[in-house]
Amino acid sequence: MKVAVFSTKAYDRQFLEAANSRNEHDLVFFEPRLNRDTAILAAGFPAVCVFVHDQADATTLEILASRGTRLLALRCAGFNNVDLKAAAELGITVVRVPAYSPYAVAEHAVGLILSLNRKIHRAYNRVREGNFSLDGLLGFDLHGCTVGIIGTGKIGQILAQIMKGFGCNLLAYDVYQNPELEALGAKYVELSELFPNSDIISLHCPLMPETHHLINDKAVEQMKSGVMLINTSRGALIDATAVTKGLKSGKIGSLGMDVYEQEADLFFEDLSSAIIQDDVFERLIMFPNVLVTGHQAFFTENAISKIAETTIANITDVEQSRTCVNEIRAEPTKVLVG
Ligand code: NAD
């Protein structure tokens, strides 16, 4: 099948070409994101392949459909950027990659925890400048501290296993209880109990109306003084203004985030010569106890290979009119990002 691949980075090309080594499909790579202005690039392509910041709204889908597109293949799990209802009405099949490597994301969360705790990001810079002072680098033993995990699905479960290995106590919150967590000794509690009793809080639930700004002023108020907050899930789980206030008052001791509510304007691009206009983001990254990575938690060889292989297999399934287990339809769902 002829596939227009949008938002292509060098690594997308490398891994998709490897997954397509038998040349099952004719992949044509485009750097721009898909939106209503760029959709014309896909004229004559029966399949279009997109990532998290591409916009497949109704207008964009109409342009695609009118020029022959019949398949939208997402190389990600979340589908908040796709108007599924419009796709169904236009006869466009939508497929995704529901899971690739929960280890990649959980391990990145652990990386943020260790760096923030032992101030490795600051030590790296100091040593390069010949400053070997330890002032300001004091950390704490993870052994014996309490980790509150919000969302105990695939990624939350792996994080729980790793933190158990450090000798941490585990508190958990989820709308469903995962027996694997209970087997590790985790205690399921309400958020009102998790917030004040956790030394570290890590978010692993999807973004939905119920979880939008889950971390707000009220939540920060309930947290332990000096808490470490980690978000590798979706940016809008956190109200950035509320956590900025929490960081200024010292209530939040440190913040690690791989995702940010307004990240679509920033992440995945080299803006090192630009003046960033987002003052909330700029304030956050100025704190010495804040560590931000640009949505890279998923970015391991294992995960990218799996994404590429599943994407190619999804396209083949649809081309050969086989049932694709990764097809998503406009069923009523409240999940905005997963
Ligand atoms: P999952 O579906 O396996 O687990 C999500 C868990 O959240 C489930 O157990 C679910 O019951 C729970 N949940 C649903 N509603 C909830 C609520 N209101 N409160 C608390 N918990 C709730 O998903 P996963 O594979 O573990 O992924 C978790 C999240 O990680 C995804 O939603 C996605 O946003 C994020 N993610 C980030 C990256 C990255 O690169 N940073 C990569 C992949 C996934």
Side-chain angles (χ1 to χ4, degrees):
M1 204 180 245
K2 209 173 160 209
V3 188
V5 182
F6 281 83
S7 295
T8 305
K9 299 289 182 197
Y11 46 83
D12 293 308
R13 188 177 186 135
Q14 179 193 339
F15 284 89
L16 280 168
E17 281 179 341
N20 190 42
S21 59
R22 284 182 288 140
N23 293 316
E24 286 172 77
H25 304 291
D26 178 10
L27 307 179
V28 178
F29 296 95
F30 297 102
E31 281 181 32
R33 290 181 184 172
L34 175 69
N35 56 40
R36 52 190 73 179
D37 298 322
T38 59
I40 192 70
L41 289 169
F45 284 81
V48 165
C49 180
V50 296
F51 196 47
V52 289
H53 294 151
D54 292 290
Q55 280 308 322
D57 55 20
T59 308
T60 306
L61 291 170
E62 274 163 28
I63 298 168
L64 293 178
S66 69
R67 285 160 175 81
T69 297
R70 290 288 165 263
L71 170 63
L72 186 70
L74 311 183
R75 7 185 238 284
C76 54
F79 47 88
N80 60 299
N81 50 344
V82 182
D83 187 331
L84 290 177
K85 192 163 164 284
E89 284 164 9
L90 292 162
I92 296 180
T93 302
V94 183
V95 294
R96 66 172 178 147
V97 183
Y100 28 96
S101 170
Y103 300 100
V105 183
E107 289 170 11
H108 191 78
V110 177
L112 292 175
I113 292 170
L114 288 169
S115 300
L116 283 166
N117 177 17
R118 307 307 297 270
K119 283 81 177 169
I120 293 168
H121 55 303
R122 299 185 67 193
Y124 173 79
N125 286 326
R126 277 191 195 186
V127 169
R128 286 166 67 93
E129 292 190 0
N131 176 358
F132 304 101
S133 159
L134 300 184
D135 287 340
L137 302 186
L138 192 66
F140 57 89
D141 284 6
L142 288 174
H143 181 91
C145 79
T146 299
V147 182
I149 301 177
I150 301 179
T152 55
K154 293 182 285 294
I155 296 170
Q157 179 187 320
I158 309 281
L159 182 76
Q161 288 164 347
I162 298 172
M163 299 318 288
K164 180 75 183 173
F166 278 110
C168 298
N169 307 309
L170 303 173
L171 292 179
Y173 174 78
D174 198 307
V175 287
Y176 298 106
Q177 301 199 352
N178 178 344
E180 298 287 337
L181 266 276
E182 290 173 307
L184 288 171
K187 187 177 166 210
Y188 275 94
V189 292
E190 290 302 317
L191 288 175
S192 57
E193 193 178 335
L194 185 145
F195 287 145
N197 289 299
S198 300
D199 301 296
I200 299 170
I201 296 174
S202 196
L203 307 179
H204 300 286
C205 58
L207 175 61
M208 309 183 294
E210 295 89 328
T211 57
H212 182 261
H213 288 185
L214 179 83
I215 305 300
N216 53 20
D217 284 319
K218 199 164 156 251
V220 173
E221 204 177 292
Q222 295 174 63
M223 290 176 193
K224 221 182 218 192
S225 190
V227 65
M228 180 188 289
L229 181 61
I230 304 291
N231 186 11
T232 56
S233 196
R234 282 298 182 264
L237 295 178
I238 285 185
D239 173 355
T241 308
V243 297
T244 301
K245 273 193 261 167
L247 284 158
K248 283 168 95 171
S249 72
K251 187 69 185 258
I252 297 178
S254 52
L255 170 69
M257 43 183 238
D258 184 55
V259 285
Y260 170 61
E261 188 165 9
Q262 307 302 334
E263 70 177 51
D265 298 332
L266 303 167
F267 290 1
F268 304 140
E269 303 304 328
D270 178 0
L271 302 180
S272 52
S273 302
I275 305 295
I276 291 176
Q277 300 296 327
D278 184 333
D279 293 346
V280 176
F281 183 77
E282 289 292 281
R283 178 68 186 99
L284 274 174
I285 59 172
M286 289 312 292
F287 288 103
N289 48 350
V290 171
L291 186 49
V292 179
T293 52
H295 206 140
Q296 69 170 82
F298 73 100
F299 199 54
T300 65
E301 279 185 24
N302 317 61
I304 301 288
S305 304
K306 182 82 193 298
I307 289 172
E309 283 160 15
T310 306
T311 299
I312 295 297
N314 286 343
I315 296 169
T316 304
D317 280 346
V318 174
E319 182 182 44
Q320 297 185 358
S321 305
R322 288 198 297 254
T323 306
C324 179
V325 289
N326 297 324
E327 182 174 347
I328 37 172
R329 293 198 178 87
E331 272 131 12
T333 172
K334 287 182 177 168
V335 177
L336 297 175
V337 185

